[in-house]
Amino acid sequence: MNKNQHTKKRLMKKSKIAVIGGSGFIGSELITTLLAQGHDIVCVDKNETSAHPALFIKADVRDPESLLKACNGCDVIYNLAAEHKDDVRPISLYHDVNVTGAQNICDVAEKLGINTIVFTSSVAVYGFPEKAPDETFPFDPFNPYGQSKAEAEKIFTTWQENAKDERTLTMIRPCVIFGPKNRGNVYNLMRQVAENRFIMIGHGNNKKSMASLYNICAFLVHVLALPPGNHVYNYADKPDSSTNDLVITMKKALGRKGKIGLRLPYCLGYMAGFGLDMLAIATKRTFPISRVRIRKFCADTVVSAEKLKETGFKPPKELHNALAETIAYEFSSKNE
C-alpha cells in the first residue's frame, strides 16, 4: 500500500476521540468540525462546555484518574489543555498543567492502548528569533509558558519513540489564533480599534504571523490522516502582515478610513507596561497592557509554515477575510 492509499484508508476511519480542553475557544470549534466528519467525541475539561454539553466529561490533566475514566474507549487524544495567559499566578501552574499534564496524558494513553495523540504546542518555544523559525529551529523560550510547552513536547516525543512503528504523534505549533468569541490579544487589539482607543506603539512595520480559528481546526482534523511517526508543524495562515496592515484592515472592516492615527514610541509604551505590571501586583488585578504584551506587540513574530504544504492542506479561509468576519461578528450592533 502506497502512502496516498494509506492516507485515504485512515481518512475513512471514524474514531472515538477525546478532546482534552474541549470547552475552550479552539476545542469547542474543533469538536464541531470533528462531529461534522462523523467522529464520536468526548469533550474532556475541568470546566463545563456550553457548546457541547451532552459530550462533556469533567476531568483535569493534573488528575490522572479522572483522565483515565474520561479517555477510556477512545482511539485518539487531542491535547488542547493549557495554562497560556501572560499573567498566570502562581507561575507554577504553567508546569503543573502543561508539563505534568502532558506526562499524565501519555501515561493514560499507555494504559489504555491509545496510539494517536495530537498536541497543540506553540511558537512560543522559539522565543523571539531574528529570522522566521522552521520546525528544526532550536528552542529559546522567553517566558514560563514557552518553556513549559518545550518541556511538554519532549514528554510527548518520548512517548512516541517508545513505540515508533505503532504510535502517531502530531505536534502543532500555532502562532496567535483569532476568531469569534476569543478573548485573547487579537480581540483586545480589535476592541481598542473599534472603540477608538488604539494607539500604535512603535513604528508598526514589524511582521505578524496569525491563524484563523476555522483554519487551524481544519488542519487539526486534517492531520488525523497521518501515518505512525512524529510529525511536527508550525501553523500560520500566509502571507504575513505588518502590524500597520492589520490595523488598517480592522479599520476598513469597521467602515472607517484606513489610517493608523496616534503613535507612541516603544520606550514610552514599555514604561507604561512596566507601570501597569507593578500596579497589577499591588492591587492583584489584571490589565490588558503589560510589558510582555508590549514586547510581543512590537516584535516580529513570524514563523515559517512551508512544511504545511507537504500535507496537501489548503486553508478554507483567506486570512484577511477571516479577520474581517471576526470583526463583523464581534462588533456589529446585532451581536453587541
Side-chain angles (χ1 to χ4, degrees):
M1 181 182 295
N2 62 36
K3 184 176 180 181
N4 288 336
Q5 289 173 324
H6 185 85
T7 297
K8 289 178 181 178
K9 183 177 179 181
R10 286 175 58 84
L11 275 170
M12 289 189 293
K13 180 184 177 183
K14 305 304 180 184
S15 303
K16 183 173 182 181
I17 301 173
V19 181
I20 300 175
S23 296
F25 163 59
I26 301 173
S28 296
E29 181 61 29
L30 174 60
I31 289 174
T32 298
T33 309
L34 287 167
L35 288 171
Q37 298 290 323
H39 297 289
D40 184 9
I41 308 300
V42 178
C43 175
V44 183
D45 208 306
K46 64 179 181 180
N47 300 312
E48 290 189 28
T49 174
S50 58
H52 304 284
L55 307 178
F56 176 73
I57 295 181
K58 187 171 184 177
D60 192 319
V61 292
R62 295 169 294 181
D63 177 9
E65 288 303 315
S66 68
L67 279 182
L68 195 64
K69 293 177 182 177
C71 296
N72 189 28
C74 291
D75 310 299
V76 178
I77 291 176
Y78 279 88
N79 179 27
L80 309 178
E83 285 290 346
H84 60 87
K85 293 183 178 180
D86 296 324
D87 51 5
V88 169
R89 295 291 184 275
I91 291 177
S92 59
L93 278 174
Y94 290 115
H95 186 276
D96 295 344
V97 174
N98 301 348
V99 181
T100 303
Q103 186 61 63
N104 289 339
I105 289 169
C106 289
D107 292 343
V108 164
E110 182 93 37
K111 290 178 181 177
L112 296 177
I114 298 172
N115 287 329
T116 302
I117 294 178
V118 181
F119 170 52
T120 51
S121 182
S122 171
V123 296
V125 298
Y126 301 124
F128 290 122
E130 293 183 0
K131 64 177 184 177
D134 63 15
E135 291 79 0
T136 64
F137 207 83
F139 289 174
D140 187 22
F142 75 95
N143 61 7
Y145 168 68
Q147 181 63 44
S148 67
K149 284 292 190 177
E151 292 179 31
E153 283 201 22
K154 294 177 183 177
I155 291 170
F156 283 114
T157 297
T158 298
W159 168 83
Q160 195 279 329
E161 288 178 345
N162 287 337
K164 285 185 176 183
D165 297 332
E166 300 172 10
R167 294 176 178 171
T168 305
L169 171 65
T170 305
M171 296 190 293
I172 301 169
R173 300 169 185 160
C175 57
V176 62
I177 301 171
F178 68 89
K181 300 182 182 179
N182 176 249
R183 294 299 178 262
N185 292 337
V186 177
Y187 172 79
N188 290 332
L189 174 60
M190 290 178 180
R191 186 176 65 180
Q192 288 170 14
V193 171
E195 296 175 355
N196 291 313
R197 295 187 294 108
F198 174 74
I199 299 174
M200 176 66 76
I201 299 175
H203 50 66
N205 294 323
N206 52 308
K207 294 284 188 176
K208 297 291 183 184
S209 290
M210 300 176 69
S212 159
L213 168 66
Y214 300 111
N215 290 347
I216 184 70
C217 287
F219 185 67
L220 285 166
V221 175
H222 184 80
V223 299
L224 281 177
L226 294 174
N230 187 355
H231 311 281
V232 182
Y233 300 98
N234 292 338
Y235 190 89
D237 290 324
K238 298 295 182 176
D240 301 313
S241 298
S242 70
T243 305
N244 287 329
D245 289 339
L246 291 171
V247 172
I248 288 171
T249 296
M250 291 176 187
K251 289 194 171 186
K252 287 182 177 178
L254 290 163
R256 300 175 187 169
K257 293 181 179 179
K259 294 183 178 180
I260 296 299
L262 294 175
R263 292 182 184 271
L264 188 69
Y266 173 76
C267 60
L268 294 181
Y270 191 81
M271 288 172 62
F274 177 81
L276 287 171
D277 283 347
M278 296 302 100
L279 186 60
I281 293 172
T283 62
K284 295 183 179 180
R285 294 174 58 194
T286 59
F287 298 94
I289 298 174
S290 67
R291 282 177 298 173
V292 169
R293 286 176 178 159
I294 293 294
R295 186 180 176 191
K296 287 198 294 188
F297 178 79
C298 295
D300 282 314
T301 48
V302 176
V303 296
S304 169
E306 285 296 306
K307 193 177 176 184
L308 287 178
K309 296 177 182 178
E310 298 176 4
T311 69
F313 175 72
K314 295 184 179 180
K317 289 182 180 286
E318 190 274 331
L319 178 69
H320 282 254
N321 289 342
L323 197 62
E325 287 177 11
T326 300
I327 290 171
Y329 175 88
E330 294 289 0
F331 301 105
S332 70
S333 58
K334 172 177 70 173
N335 287 320
E336 286 175 356

